[in-house]
Amino acid sequence: MKVHMRMFLLLPAAAVLASCQQVSDKSPTSAPEAMSGRASVQYPETRRGEVVDEYFGRSVADPYRWLEDDRSDETAAWVTAQNQVTQDYLNNIPYRGSIAETVERLLDYERVSAPFTEGAYTYFYRNDGLQNQDVLYRREDGGEAELFIDPNNFSDDGTVSMSALSFSTSGEKLAYQLSEGGSDWRTIEILDAESGNTLERALEDVKFSGISWLGDEGFYYSSYDRPDGSVLTAKTDSHKLYFHELDTDQSYDRLVYGGGDQQHRYVGAQVSEDNRYLVISAANTTSGNKLFLRDLQDSGAPLITILDDEASDAYLVDNRGEELFFYTNRDAPNGRVVKVSAADPRPENWEDFIPEREQVLSVSTGGGYFFANYMVDALSQVEQINDQGQLVRRIDLPDPGTASGFSGKYADDTLYFQFTNYRYPTTIFAFDVGSGETEVYRASDSSFDSDQFVSRQVFYNSKDGTRIPMMITHHKDLKRNGSAPTMLYAYGGFNISLRPRFSSTVAAWLELGGVYAVPNIRGGGEYGKAWHNAGTKLQKQNVFDDFIAAAEYLIGERYASRDTLAIRGGSNGGLLVGAVMTQRPDLASVALPAVGVMDMLRYHTFTAGAGWSYDYGTSEDNEAMFSYLLGYSPLHNLESGESYPATMVTTADHDDRVVPAHSFKFAARLQDSQASSAPTLIRIETDAGHGGGMPIAKVIELYADLYGFTLFNMGYRNLPD
């Protein structure tokens, strides 16, 4: 559950990727006059209201408050007008169509997932390349594969996506979630696995939920009461855990935890593989959780409290009968695995099973073993551990990068893992748990020629001297003279670690002759809890300083110049870009904030935003916290008459995580403030959310627009034929 919680703000901007062609002129010149001047872009008039808020005796104007109303005709008209201006601008970029064609080419290859067994069938996902959503196939006893579930049939335009697929213990039943237009509000469909037929009416109004089966009789799931007002923006802060028994109406679902004196913003459940134990996690922010245990073999068993505070993270890894194994960072900021008897699982009885190390730990299980995946300067090092806590072997990886997987059922003989980095297309390996033999199960069919590119890790010093790692990827023949278009991407929050991963859209940027740089700045989880905390609340400025120092490193080392540097980030990373472009408007020529948290005084009033307070604090906490937030809030630090970079804000009309009002208000004020000729546009995707489940067709359009806008405003006029 904690893994899911930490993803609540993460933008999957690099999850589906593509490619473009080489820029012909590596020495950018001034953009054509017809497109470069402010006068050439006629922005829609945005009404200024009279709203003023009082914080600790200080008045703060919020003239664009009316844009928070996503149901008003005035907001809808503003969105339509802004999109028209943006599309008119983008349509005049001569090579945008060529970029789209290249993005499509690089995406157009068959992608197949690692297989997994449920009941009598082996399942896997497949995409022929340009399908909007991955398709679920299965085969029985090595027979021919057959199509099982095709989400592309759920809607005509591919905007309905499937997630959180979960099978019952026998594999005879399954449930999965459906999202329309990328919304976090989901429905749960329940099927008979043999026939594929729907068993009953879908469960509705499900949000931020897993699906955890108890045998074949039913499953646990989580949701909020449907809010009053707009379902996309109204505050949701009382998460509840239910048990749904098959063949009963949802109205009869049993409340297991939540509400009343158990009120928490995030509640989730996990049933042990042997169906013996239920573990409940409850939290009010995205960091730290309470933990509870119930013995499901005893119908009268009480709910035992394991952790009664939210000072640390913990979740069940596995059990061996009554012996429980938990991951935790309690008294171990880099993480450890402890074991304890279910009879009294309180922390004072915990014994180290995999002790804390200098490197950050994540853990998985399968085949009767534990797999310790350590981050060594954000790169993977994996060890196989037996049930006595002894090292069996270190697993060889093909290159510096990211390994993930190593999970399965206790009885599995073969596990699968994926390996990738920025230049190494994702490859699936089969791992024999007994012998340790590893072989390629599925190599990538990507047309990207990785041999032509290099990816290396460098270290630089931030403003306060902190040493920061950064991965830089580019063509092997790059001439470091500052002329290459360079994309600097980061996140910097919520304990999220940016690990090297291949992406077709990043590959596109590389084929364009671009440099792609990703620093592991503070606020993330690359060096454990201390690294995360160093970028939270009253230390948030460290995140911005780390990012600024990364840009200065790239310029100083002649990878880029100010004229060829773009800064990009999404969600919390959108906040990062917004803060940096207001603090250092001279730093880069292009800024690309995506679905960003731009109004730091009001973020906690929307949907589940109050849960982000561990990282941010809130304007209501105290005067010091209010002043600090006001000091960097992107919306409130735009200054009239300042020259800001060419900016394209991106958001989506169904984003109910970081509501689009953040981007609407920021774009409106930016257009009013901009003194230079650089364009300040907002691109508002329709029938899309925070990024998850976006159809391939929309991905192609998005990256053609992002890269076209970026290169055009760096002065590149042409792409090769």
Side-chain angles (χ1 to χ4, degrees):
M1 177 62 186
K2 290 308 294 178
V3 173
H4 296 300
M5 287 182 183
R6 290 173 183 159
M7 299 299 285
F8 283 170
L9 257 188
L10 183 62
L11 173 76
V16 186
L17 311 159
S19 146
C20 307
Q21 301 181 6
Q22 191 87 4
V23 174
S24 57
D25 181 3
K26 290 300 185 66
S27 298
T29 57
S30 297
E33 187 62 27
M35 295 298 295
S36 64
R38 178 182 169 89
S40 66
V41 182
Q42 297 297 319
Y43 300 106
E45 287 291 329
T46 304
R47 176 175 65 86
R48 292 179 60 89
E50 303 298 328
V51 176
V52 177
D53 294 315
E54 295 290 329
Y55 297 90
F56 302 97
R58 181 167 178 178
S59 298
V60 180
D62 192 2
Y64 303 117
R65 177 74 60 84
W66 62 271
L67 284 169
E68 293 180 3
D69 186 355
D70 61 288
R71 299 181 297 175
S72 79
D73 292 339
E74 188 178 16
T75 300
W78 184 88
V79 167
T80 298
Q82 290 285 349
N83 267 343
Q84 187 61 58
V85 168
T86 298
Q87 288 307 310
D88 287 346
Y89 183 96
L90 295 171
N91 287 340
N92 282 293
I93 297 175
Y95 43 74
R96 186 170 63 130
S98 296
I99 296 175
E101 290 174 2
T102 311
V103 172
E104 181 175 326
R105 172 180 60 80
L106 283 176
L107 279 169
D108 192 10
Y109 68 94
E110 184 181 61
R111 296 180 292 279
V112 178
S113 75
F116 57 97
T117 300
E118 299 288 350
Y121 294 92
T122 297
Y123 294 84
F124 62 93
Y125 291 93
R126 177 183 177 273
N127 191 305
D128 65 13
L130 296 179
Q131 289 175 288
N132 283 318
Q133 305 292 340
D134 293 348
V135 180
L136 183 63
Y137 288 81
R138 70 180 181 183
R139 65 170 63 94
E140 186 174 15
D141 295 331
E144 290 295 318
E146 61 178 11
L147 187 151
F148 184 56
I149 300 176
D150 185 356
N152 297 290
N153 294 329
F154 296 162
S155 61
D156 292 336
D157 58 1
T159 56
V160 177
S161 59
M162 177 176 73
S163 64
L165 182 79
S166 180
F167 284 83
S168 66
T169 301
S170 70
E172 295 176 358
K173 299 176 178 66
L174 74 149
Y176 60 84
Q177 297 181 26
L178 287 183
S179 169
E180 295 187 16
S183 172
D184 283 330
W185 286 100
R186 311 285 171 86
T187 60
I188 295 180
E189 303 285 340
I190 306 168
L191 274 62
D192 176 83
E194 181 61 36
S195 65
N197 294 331
T198 300
L199 288 175
E200 56 185 82
R201 190 171 67 180
L203 307 188
E204 299 179 344
D205 297 334
V206 176
K207 187 173 184 179
F208 294 158
S209 178
I211 298 173
S212 191
W213 284 86
L214 176 58
D216 284 9
E217 65 184 82
F219 53 82
Y220 296 90
Y221 70 97
S222 307
S223 196
Y224 304 91
D225 296 335
R226 196 167 184 85
D228 296 329
S230 170
V231 71
L232 296 179
T233 61
K235 193 171 184 178
T236 50
D237 60 3
S238 182
H239 216 201
K240 298 176 181 179
L241 177 68
Y242 295 93
F243 181 77
H244 176 73
E245 184 177 347
L246 294 192
D247 301 322
T248 63
D249 188 80
Q250 185 178 3
S251 62
Y252 293 102
D253 287 355
R254 174 167 52 90
L255 177 64
V256 177
Y257 189 92
D261 60 1
Q262 296 177 336
Q263 180 167 319
H264 294 82
R265 291 193 181 95
Y266 310 119
V267 176
Q270 182 182 3
V271 177
S272 60
E273 185 179 340
D274 62 4
N275 283 294
R276 176 157 183 185
Y277 296 105
L278 170 68
V279 176
I280 298 174
S281 171
N284 285 295
T285 71
T286 54
S287 184
N289 64 286
K290 299 175 183 176
L291 205 64
F292 307 94
L293 178 75
R294 173 169 286 153
D295 187 341
L296 295 173
Q297 289 187 345
D298 180 358
S299 60
L303 190 65
I304 298 172
T305 300
I306 302 175
L307 296 174
D308 61 1
D309 62 57
E310 300 174 49
S312 59
D313 302 279
Y315 62 85
L316 179 69
V317 174
D318 205 353
N319 71 297
R320 302 286 191 268
E322 295 184 358
E323 190 171 51
L324 308 176
F325 298 84
F326 292 99
Y327 166 88
T328 185
N329 57 17
R330 195 177 190 88
D331 301 321
N334 292 335
R336 58 176 172 149
V337 175
V338 298
K339 64 179 180 179
V340 67
S341 169
D344 190 356
R346 293 175 300 170
E348 52 263 38
N349 297 317
W350 290 356
E351 298 178 24
D352 274 357
F353 179 72
I354 302 178
E356 182 189 24
R357 287 190 190 173
E358 182 180 355
Q359 295 83 19
V360 177
L361 169 70
S362 61
V363 65
S364 60
T365 62
Y369 292 93
F370 296 79
F371 293 86
N373 194 329
Y374 292 99
M375 272 193 293
V376 182
D377 295 326
L379 305 176
S380 289
Q381 177 181 297
V382 184
E383 297 180 357
Q384 183 179 1
I385 309 293
N386 66 20
D387 58 10
Q388 301 301 309
Q390 299 166 332
L391 174 67
V392 177
R393 59 178 62 88
R394 292 182 175 87
I395 298 170
D396 291 333
L397 301 176
D399 205 40
T402 303
S404 59
F406 298 102
S407 62
K409 294 182 173 60
Y410 185 87
D412 289 344
D413 296 321
T414 301
L415 303 179
Y416 298 88
F417 69 93
Q418 295 181 330
F419 181 83
T420 183
N421 61 34
Y422 292 116
R423 55 169 289 278
Y424 190 106
T426 304
T427 299
I428 301 172
F429 292 84
F431 175 78
D432 186 292
V433 297
S435 68
E437 293 182 3
T438 298
E439 62 180 13
V440 173
Y441 173 80
R442 175 85 186 189
S444 173
D445 291 331
S446 171
S447 61
F448 180 70
D449 187 357
S450 59
D451 291 338
Q452 297 302 308
F453 298 86
V454 294
S455 188
R456 71 187 189 98
Q457 188 174 61
V458 302
F459 292 83
Y460 66 92
N461 290 331
S462 189
K463 181 179 180 179
D464 63 358
T466 299
R467 189 169 180 257
I468 313 290
M470 177 163 58
M471 296 296 296
I472 305 176
T473 309
H474 54 78
H475 194 275
K476 65 180 183 180
D477 295 330
L478 174 75
K479 295 179 180 178
R480 281 166 54 181
N481 57 15
S483 66
T486 300
M487 188 78 70
L488 179 62
Y489 179 92
Y491 186 76
F494 294 87
N495 207 38
I496 298 297
S497 302
L498 292 188
R499 315 285 297 278
R501 293 187 183 280
F502 180 79
S503 149
S504 295
T505 51
V506 171
W509 182 252
L510 296 173
E511 285 199 8
L512 279 165
V515 175
Y516 189 72
V518 181
N520 298 109
I521 60 182
R522 281 173 285 186
E526 290 86 350
Y527 293 103
K529 197 63 179 174
W531 195 254
H532 173 208
N533 287 340
T536 62
K537 293 189 177 72
L538 297 175
Q539 299 186 91
K540 188 66 176 177
Q541 185 60 41
N542 287 334
V543 179
F544 313 140
D545 290 342
D546 292 354
F547 194 62
I548 291 168
E552 292 174 336
Y553 176 91
L554 292 170
I555 293 170
E557 294 296 318
R558 302 289 289 158
Y559 285 99
S561 67
R562 188 270 175 191
D563 292 333
T564 62
L565 181 65
I567 55 175
R568 182 167 182 249
S571 196
N572 176 73
L575 160 63
L576 169 67
V577 172
V580 167
M581 66 180 281
T582 56
Q583 293 182 14
R584 285 289 305 275
D586 63 318
L587 188 66
S589 65
V590 177
L592 302 170
V595 293
V597 188
M598 299 304 200
D599 184 346
M600 297 308 297
L601 301 187
R602 285 180 54 77
Y603 78 87
H604 61 289
T605 66
F606 304 110
T607 63
W612 311 335
S613 61
Y614 182 93
D615 267 55
Y616 297 150
T618 76
S619 57
E620 299 172 351
D621 288 349
N622 51 63
E623 187 172 1
M625 194 71 252
F626 155 71
S627 297
Y628 194 85
L629 289 168
L630 183 63
Y632 75 78
S633 176
L635 174 66
H636 299 92
N637 284 277
L638 290 165
E639 297 183 4
S640 181
E642 180 62 78
S643 294
Y644 292 103
T647 303
M648 186 161 70
V649 179
T650 54
T651 187
D653 63 352
H654 278 63
D655 190 345
D656 47 4
R657 195 173 310 180
V658 180
V659 297
H662 283 281
S663 295
F664 293 174
K665 292 163 67 174
F666 181 78
R669 185 164 180 175
L670 178 60
Q671 289 175 355
D672 187 57
S673 302
Q674 177 70 298
S676 79
S677 62
T680 54
L681 306 176
I682 182 169
R683 183 189 188 278
I684 306 157
E685 188 65 78
T686 58
D687 291 323
H690 199 59
M694 181 180 285
I696 291 291
K698 288 183 180 289
V699 172
I700 294 169
E701 293 173 0
L702 172 63
Y703 281 91
D705 291 349
L706 287 172
Y707 292 164
F709 178 86
T710 299
L711 293 170
F712 194 76
N713 283 283
M714 287 178 176
Y716 290 98
R717 290 196 174 109
N718 300 294
L719 294 180
D721 295 333

